[in-house]
Structures are given as structure tokens and as C-alpha cells.
Amino acid sequence: MRRGFKSVNVMMVALLVLMTAACGDGASKDSRVKNVIVMVPDGFSAAYATNYRNYIGGQASTLDEILVGMAKTRSLDHFITDSAAAASAMATGNKVQNGAISMTADGKALKTVLEGAIEANKATGMVVTSTLSHATPGAFSSHANSRVQELEIAAQLIGKVDVLLGGGKNLYSPEDKKRAEELGYLYLENRDQLLEANHDKLFGLFAGESMTPEIDRDAMTEPSLEEMTNKALEVLAPNKNGFFLLVEGSQIDYAGHVNDAAWAMREIEAFERAVKSALEFAKENGDTLLIIAGDHDTGGMTVGNVDSSYSIDLLHHVKASGAAMIDYWKRQGQDLKEVVHEYAQVELNDDEIRAIEESHYYEATLNQIISDRAGIIWITLYHTGVDVPVYAYGPGSSKLFGVIDNTDIAKVIAQSIGFDLESAEGVE
């Protein structure tokens, strides 16, 4: 019996060593953390991860290789969180009410890990495909009683964050852009300007609102998430005190809200490319902590269903988002059946055409039909409360093993860079 116990103990120790090595944690010397990269695939859950793995042929994704645990996501006032409350928890280590941007219920601003990085004289950056003032980037960088206060959130970013890349041009006036330039930012509006930029402060607004969905994006005019991430790393890395970078794959969530499986897979693919860049940087720089975690699940996507075959390869043939196909039909007057055949390689039958035409939500109905052909069912157009995967690499990453709360992400970051969240009493 004793011999058996010894064998089990040896195996457990070996397993722990392997798990630690896989995350690149080494001796877990938090003092070695110079840079922190937080990447948020908004709306992403285990079902998205499984479908994406199958979508790329069944091989492990870059994310699969650094999975460390799962995170609970509920907000202060609801079992189902929204993006603002989830991001605020990840940024401040505190639960807040749905809709709040790093603010307590009584209107007290909570310090964020990005603000902690600024106090530590680190460079900071945010890269998103939403507007820069949207819920997730807003919660890491700003404070507002409600996420709908995007103009107020947008105004807080200029002069605070060194690299700002994303959408939201319509939220800034010419005076705002002039102020940014006076504060030393290089203002950018397209992909070429981004790729050519050689400056230590960047303010890139590449779309009026959110950037174009990856599945519809003109690669010659709007930069990809990977390109924006690479440029941010290039600009931030020279800072002698290190940096904090937030990267959000914002539109995985958007696709989930309209049940567009093909769009979701393209967004995850774009996000994975950005992850590869960040992970390569972290591996080359042993003082970098990389954390990747979804904020919540969106849509309740399934992986196959009992009543139909699972044919996710079908999604490779879809060349436009459901929104774009509906636009071709409703606004440009093209034949619906021909549009869907051309852009999705799907032959709609009469019942499906009728269902779309009579729907109160054309886009979601079309997307659900295409998803069903691929064997994917959605249970909602909104968020769900399931736990989300957490991925990590680098010093301190072992502290994220197992089932954690989303607030633990902020606490691990704060400890790694020497910022005491517990003593934070808000900001003016």
C-alpha cells in the first residue's frame, strides 16, 4: 500500500511540474513581471473554443496550448453579467453592477490595473475592434456610472493611454483630435498609416463606430487585430519600466448576439493570430505575463445537436456576415435566395425564405438557418452565465489554475506589478 501511495505522490508532483512548465511560470518569481498583456475574446466560452478547434480541422489551437482554468463571471447584481461589469471585475478586482464602468453602486471610482501600471511608470495601450470607449476598454481605462456614456468615456482616454487603436471616430470632434496631437499623439485613420507609424504615442481611429466585421473587412483599408497588436507591442516594448496592454477581440460577442456562427469563427481566427503575436513576444521576453480570458458567453452556442449532422466545414464557404447579406437583399434589392447562395453556398428552400421574410429579425433568422445547416444551435441572442476558459503564460500564471473568479485576474495582475488593489480607495 505504501508503495502505491508513493507512486501516486510522485505522479502528482510530476503533473504539477509539467503544468507549471507548460505555462512558462518557471519559479513563479512575480518580481520578474515587467510587462502584462491582457487579451479578452469578448463573448467567448468553451463551446466557441470547441467549435473553433473543429473549424480549423481538429488540431489544437494556440489557445489550447496554454489553458489553465475557468472563470466564474456573475456580476454584483445579476447571475448573468454584461460586458461592463465583467470587464470592471477583471480590471479592478471588484464586483460591480451590470452597466457600470469601474464604479461602485454609490458612485465611487475603482482603480484599475491599467491605472496601477501608469502609477508604476509603465507604458499603456489598448487595441480593440469595437469603439475605444466600449464596455471592455472603457472599464480598464475609465470610470462612468453607465456604459452608455461613451462620450464621457472617450474623453478620458486622451492623454491617459499611450497607444489607442480601434474604432470610434464619430465619438471624437476635430477639437479632440487636435488636443490629442498637442499631447504628442500621432493620429491614424487607415491601415497604411498604422503600418508606417514610427512614434511613441498612437491614436488610431479606423472606423466611425466599431470596426468592420472580420468576415467583411477590406484588408487594404482597415488593419487587422493582429496588425494593431503587433504595432502596439512595437511601440510599448521599449519602455524601460515595461508596459500594460489590453487587446480585445470585441466582435466575437457581436457575432454571438446575432447567432452568426461563420462570423464568430472568423473573429476567433483573427483573435488567434493576435494571440500568436502576443505569445511569441511573451516567450521571447521571460518577464511578460500573458492572460487571456473571455468576459462571458454570448448566445449559448452548441457543438452539434441530436437532430442533425455536425458539418462545421460548411462555415468555410460563408464569405459575408448575415448582416451584409441582409443588406444586399433589403437595401440593394438583390434576390435573397441568390445572395445566400453566392455568399454562403446555401440553397434556401421556400419555407426558409418565408421564415426570413416574415421575421422580426431578418439577420438572426438567416444566421440561425445557416448555423443549423452546420449543426450548430443557439439558445439565446443574449449572454449566458456559464464559466469561461482562462489561458495564461509567463511568471505568475500558475496563480490562475483551476476555477477562479473573474476578479482574481485583476488581483494576480496587481500583485505581479506591485499595485495593491485592496488599498485603492478610488480616484478623483
Side-chain angles (χ1 to χ4, degrees):
M1 289 294 290
R2 286 182 181 175
R3 191 175 302 169
F5 277 124
K6 286 182 178 179
S7 298
V8 171
N9 287 335
V10 169
M11 290 176 65
M12 290 179 67
V13 170
L15 179 60
L16 286 170
V17 169
L18 286 171
M19 290 172 70
T20 301
C23 288
D25 199 24
S28 295
K29 296 178 181 177
D30 294 333
S31 60
R32 294 193 297 116
V33 176
K34 179 182 178 182
N35 312 308
V36 177
I37 305 171
V38 176
M39 305 187 74
V40 180
D42 199 307
F44 183 88
S45 66
Y48 283 79
T50 304
N51 275 316
Y52 180 66
R53 185 185 310 115
N54 295 333
Y55 176 78
I56 60 174
Q59 71 266 30
S61 71
T62 305
L63 291 169
D64 287 341
E65 299 169 5
I66 54 173
L67 176 70
V68 294
M70 302 290 286
K72 297 175 284 186
T73 64
R74 70 174 300 161
S75 69
L76 181 65
D77 62 337
H78 205 291
F79 188 79
I80 310 297
T81 190
D82 81 324
S83 290
S88 295
M90 295 164 71
T92 72
N94 290 273
K95 294 290 187 181
V96 304
Q97 294 179 332
N98 280 356
I101 298 291
S102 295
M103 294 278 280
T104 64
D106 59 357
K108 176 182 172 182
L110 296 162
K111 280 188 177 178
T112 72
V113 288
L114 185 146
E115 290 169 333
I118 292 172
E119 288 186 1
N121 295 314
K122 296 182 183 295
T124 57
M126 296 198 306
V127 171
V128 300
T129 54
S130 63
T131 58
L132 283 163
S133 51
H134 210 254
T136 301
F140 273 86
S141 62
S142 312
H143 305 278
N145 289 319
S146 173
R147 60 183 292 176
V148 302
Q149 298 171 275
E150 284 206 57
L151 286 173
E152 294 179 25
I153 295 167
Q156 295 180 50
L157 303 180
I158 301 175
K160 186 175 190 178
V161 183
D162 299 305
V163 175
L164 294 162
L165 303 175
K169 191 183 304 183
N170 294 346
L171 294 165
Y172 291 93
S173 67
E175 290 73 23
D176 291 326
K177 295 165 188 172
K178 182 178 179 181
R179 180 165 70 92
E181 291 175 342
E182 289 173 348
L183 289 170
Y185 288 93
L186 177 63
Y187 179 62
L188 312 168
E189 289 188 312
N190 59 54
R191 178 177 180 267
D192 285 345
Q193 290 175 348
L194 175 74
L195 297 182
E196 294 169 4
N198 182 18
H199 200 71
D200 60 356
K201 296 182 75 172
L202 302 179
F203 185 34
L205 297 173
F206 305 108
E209 298 296 334
S210 293
M211 295 177 68
T212 304
E214 180 64 24
I215 195 170
D216 302 322
R217 180 175 65 90
D218 182 348
M220 299 305 293
T221 58
E222 283 188 33
S224 67
L225 187 65
E226 177 191 18
E227 290 168 337
M228 292 190 291
T229 300
N230 286 338
K231 180 58 69 172
L233 290 171
E234 174 189 320
V235 172
L236 298 174
N239 186 287
K240 65 179 182 180
N241 297 312
F243 64 83
F244 175 91
L245 173 64
L246 171 71
V247 178
E248 184 188 36
S250 317
Q251 298 190 35
I252 300 169
D253 173 69
Y254 292 13
H257 276 300
V258 292
N259 293 176
D260 193 329
W263 178 13
M265 293 302 106
R266 298 297 201 287
E267 292 296 337
I268 300 170
E269 188 173 46
F271 183 77
E272 185 189 22
R273 292 193 189 104
V275 168
K276 286 179 179 177
S277 292
L279 184 58
E280 181 179 347
F281 181 92
K283 287 180 176 179
E284 292 176 354
N285 298 270
D287 50 9
T288 298
L289 171 60
L290 170 64
I291 300 173
I292 305 163
D295 49 356
H296 52 71
D297 169 70
T298 303
M301 172 193 279
T302 69
V303 182
N305 70 90
V306 72
D307 295 323
S308 67
S309 60
Y310 182 60
S311 308
I312 197 167
D313 285 348
L314 176 150
L315 299 181
H316 287 282
H317 301 297
V318 182
K319 305 302 181 186
S321 64
M325 286 187 273
I326 294 300
D327 183 75
Y328 298 145
W329 168 49
K330 293 299 291 183
R331 292 184 177 83
Q332 299 185 30
Q334 298 180 38
D335 181 81
L336 176 59
K337 186 172 184 177
E338 292 179 0
V339 165
V340 175
H341 173 72
E342 179 179 355
Y343 290 98
Q345 297 297 300
V346 168
E347 292 286 349
L348 296 177
N349 60 42
D350 291 342
D351 289 339
E352 290 168 335
I353 292 172
R354 189 178 307 109
I356 297 168
E357 292 175 339
E358 296 176 356
S359 173
H360 295 295
Y361 200 164
Y362 303 125
E363 182 182 351
T365 303
L366 170 59
N367 292 335
Q368 288 160 359
I369 289 169
I370 295 173
S371 292
D372 186 61
R373 297 290 184 91
I376 293 170
I377 302 298
W378 302 82
I379 65 170
T380 182
L381 296 174
Y382 303 101
H383 299 174
T384 77
V386 302
D387 295 348
V388 295
V390 179
Y391 310 87
Y393 179 91
S397 58
S398 61
K399 296 177 181 177
L400 296 167
F401 277 129
V403 178
I404 64 170
D405 193 84
N406 56 5
T407 55
D408 292 327
I409 292 170
K411 293 170 184 176
V412 168
I413 294 169
Q415 184 179 6
S416 297
I417 64 177
F419 174 63
D420 188 1
L421 284 171
E422 295 300 322
S423 66
E425 297 183 356
V427 294
E428 298 297 328

